[in-house]
Amino acid sequence: MATSRVLGYLESRKNLTGGACGVAGLVLTFAGVAGPYWPVVVAGLYGAGALIAPPERPALPDFPSPSQQLEEIRADFGRLGGYLADVELPPAAAARLTALTELLAALLEPGWVAEALAQDPEGVHAVSRTVRQDVPEAVDAFVRTRWWTRLTPGTEPPERHLERQLGLLQEEAGRLASALRDAQARRQESHTRYLEDRQQ
């Protein structure tokens, strides 16, 4: 531990800048400027160089790239599919869930769509939140509430809330897909204008 600290200091900006200033002090000594006080001059210049050196910049955290994040979301989406396969849902809610999961699968499928999604951090976050939080929470809340509803008949059926939640999530995913499509359309239009301008 102590050895690594010493090696780290030897390679630090402070030591390198101080060393360069110390060498300048030696040059002044050989030029006859420092006189008999040359050790003080060299040490002083080294210390001054070490003080004025810019501080060490810590390395940035190694966060996963958007593409790596999508790989992790894909894996979680697969686990979510296994969970949903074991849950019995009413037909209307099951149809909404199928539409939502098909849309998410299309967004996450490796290829140019996923590459376009990776360029949109907010979109990656939205898909991650839907897969990891919103869908599991909606389905789990339905399963728990359905059990209590059997004990207290006459209350509002929990499938209504589930259908509404899944519908809202599908709308959100649809807006994301539309935004990605619009971005590609703008890219195409921009290229058309570029080619047209090139002809003038």
Side-chain angles (χ1 to χ4, degrees), residues 191-200:
H191 190 59
T192 300
R193 285 194 299 273
Y194 163 73
L195 293 175
E196 288 172 347
D197 292 343
R198 212 166 66 180
Q199 303 303 315
Q200 296 175 0

Side-chain angles (χ1 to χ4, degrees), residues 132-170:
R132 294 171 171 162
Q133 178 182 337
D134 295 334
V135 172
E137 173 64 22
V139 173
D140 185 60
F142 164 76
V143 171
R144 291 170 185 261
T145 307
R146 178 178 57 181
W147 185 85
W148 285 105
T149 303
R150 291 173 180 166
L151 299 178
T152 55
T155 57
E156 184 178 13
E159 52 266 26
R160 288 185 187 168
H161 283 287
L162 178 62
E163 291 170 22
R164 181 67 180 138
Q165 291 166 4
L166 294 175
L168 292 170
L169 291 172
Q170 185 181 0

